[in-house]
Amino acid sequence: MILDDPSGIGRLDRHGAREVLSRFPAQCREAAALRPEPDRALGRPRLIVVAGMGGSAAGGDLLSVCAGDHLGVPVLTHRGYDLPPAAGAETLVIAVSYSGDTVEAVSAFEAALTAGLGVVALTQGGRLGAVAARHRATLVTLPGGLPPRLALGYLFFPLLTVLARTGLSTLPRAEVAEALDILEMLAAELGPAQPAAKNEAKRLALEIGDRMPVAYGGQLTGAVAYRWKTDIEENAKRLAVAGALPEMNHNEIEAWRAPEAGRLHAVLLRDRGEHPDIGRRFEVLRALLAPVAGGISEAWSRGEGRLARLLSLTYLGQWTSYYLALLRGVDPWLVPMLEEVKRRLRG
Ligand code: F6R
């Protein structure tokens, strides 16, 4: 069985995604210690726009769900060119692009500069780094060398540091410390050295098997479900679906009457902090899907604070998608189609 075979894993995962994933807690600690340059006070915004794509946008999603209540101002993740119409005076635009060469993020950054808005860039360099340096904008330089989706720590924690410079309150230290401790525990539980019999991520990947994964979150974990979908797509090169309760009860639920339901596998992303009604909706959903779905699995978040709960479920999804890649016999690191799109657009 490939998942418990170190040499088989080594043959497929030639770029060492497993080492990067295992180091994720350390990456988060390093990321929390990164400082902007210049490290100065920033104006207090009334709206925060995090502009980025794919893996670089994920930090914005996590920020709005985890820290939204503390910040007291809305966080909008902008996936696209230019700026969203809501961006007016007193908006802080944080452009995030791990490579620095994602045209959408660069265009948002340039539009914010032109509009005279507060700007910050998070990148390892590239065009975004160059534009930020030319304008002496606040810049957090991230360590390079990773696929962006494996750099979530670098793409999230510096957002908290930057926002602390605006005078907004972000997350209590204890909440961050708890999240880092839980990630460390999970790194040991979910890594390849832990056999399938005791490894939740391997178990989930085996349960999903060849079926199409459908990740469902609740009101808080909907963004995590989306992250599961994109991790499965990029790492395992398989189509996946994501949805969230309660919204899917009002539309997508009907699609489970289709004949292909038997080829789908629902993964219910549960959270002890979920609204009691969301808990009831999950139970009803499970009962309705049981007779038609190819399979159903459930995974629970860990910890008390929101950050620990959301990061623990996200990390579980990263490992599950990694093992799905191995089961499919593909290298989790490479994303040739994604790169081909970028190459063609550049050409
Ligand atoms: C690749 C990945 C992608 C990128 C996206 C934007 O690992 O996760 O979703 O994040 O293509 O590129 P960056 O992050 O360099 O701006």
Side-chain angles (χ1 to χ4, degrees):
M1 212 266 286
I2 174 89
L3 301 190
D4 287 343
D5 167 16
S7 57
I9 292 178
R11 270 196 302 280
L12 273 177
D13 179 13
R14 281 173 295 121
H15 300 84
R18 62 197 179 287
E19 274 105 36
V20 179
L21 276 175
S22 298
R23 272 201 85 255
F24 181 59
Q27 179 193 121
C28 292
R29 279 187 203 281
E30 274 169 36
L34 291 175
R35 293 289 169 261
E37 185 57 47
D39 196 353
R40 61 186 167 204
L42 298 165
R44 199 182 177 93
R46 290 161 74 99
L47 171 69
I48 299 158
V49 171
V50 179
M53 303 302 300
S56 289
D61 288 342
L62 196 55
L63 180 73
S64 61
V65 188
C66 291
D69 291 356
H70 296 277
L71 289 166
V73 297
V75 179
L76 206 133
T77 304
H78 177 63
R79 293 173 161 92
Y81 295 89
D82 300 325
L83 287 176
E90 298 177 78
T91 297
L92 175 65
V93 177
I94 310 179
V96 187
S97 169
Y98 185 71
S99 64
D101 289 322
T102 295
V103 284
E104 299 93 319
V106 174
S107 114
F109 190 71
E110 286 175 335
L113 283 171
T114 306
L117 306 182
V119 287
V120 174
L122 253 68
T123 180
Q124 55 133 16
R127 175 117 195 274
L128 181 60
V131 178
R134 199 164 60 243
H135 289 267
R136 294 192 175 78
T138 302
L139 167 68
V140 183
T141 303
L142 310 175
L146 302 177
R149 64 192 179 284
L150 292 180
L152 178 65
Y154 294 137
L155 295 164
F156 169 69
F157 283 93
L159 295 176
L160 299 179
T161 309
V162 163
L163 290 175
R165 304 296 185 266
T166 67
L168 294 172
S169 67
T170 58
L171 283 175
R173 258 173 218 274
E175 229 180 270
V176 174
E178 185 212 11
L180 296 174
D181 288 348
I182 287 195
L183 288 177
E184 243 142 46
M185 205 172 68
L186 285 176
E189 283 179 26
L190 304 176
Q194 193 68 249
K198 294 196 237 155
N199 186 317
E200 190 181 6
K202 289 184 181 179
R203 177 179 60 74
L204 285 165
L206 290 166
E207 284 173 9
I208 294 166
D210 289 334
R211 293 189 283 262
M212 187 194 284
V214 183
Y216 285 133
Q219 211 157 298
L220 289 181
T221 54
V224 178
Y226 181 71
R227 177 69 196 212
W228 272 60
K229 164 188 154 72
T230 59
D231 273 336
I232 292 168
E233 288 161 346
E234 291 184 67
N235 294 334
K237 281 50 113 171
R238 291 179 54 175
L239 282 171
V241 175
L245 292 167
E247 177 63 14
M248 70 75 64
N249 280 174
H250 300 273
N251 33 61
E252 193 169 320
I253 182 74
E254 214 51 50
W256 284 88
R257 285 146 54 99
E260 58 266 29
R263 298 197 299 275
L264 307 182
H265 189 101
V267 183
L268 311 182
L269 302 179
R270 305 295 306 272
D271 174 38
R272 72 161 70 168
E274 69 199 12
H275 188 287
D277 271 4
I278 295 288
R280 288 177 47 223
R281 284 180 185 275
F282 268 121
E283 297 316 320
V284 172
L285 179 65
R286 179 185 263 283
L288 289 174
L289 296 195
V292 291
I296 305 176
S297 302
E298 198 166 78
W300 283 84
S301 62
R302 304 272 193 98
E304 298 291 329
R306 261 194 202 180
L307 184 62
R309 285 164 23 223
L310 295 183
L311 272 180
S312 61
L313 265 185
T314 304
Y315 194 35
L316 177 65
Q318 291 193 298
W319 276 115
T320 303
S321 68
Y322 174 83
Y323 294 124
L324 282 170
L326 300 184
L327 288 176
R328 226 202 118 196
V330 295
D331 184 337
W333 190 277
L334 303 174
V335 283
M337 293 282 275
L338 204 150
E339 275 160 16
E340 180 61 15
V341 173
K342 291 185 183 182
R343 198 187 62 76
R344 288 189 189 201
L345 285 170
R346 271 197 306 271

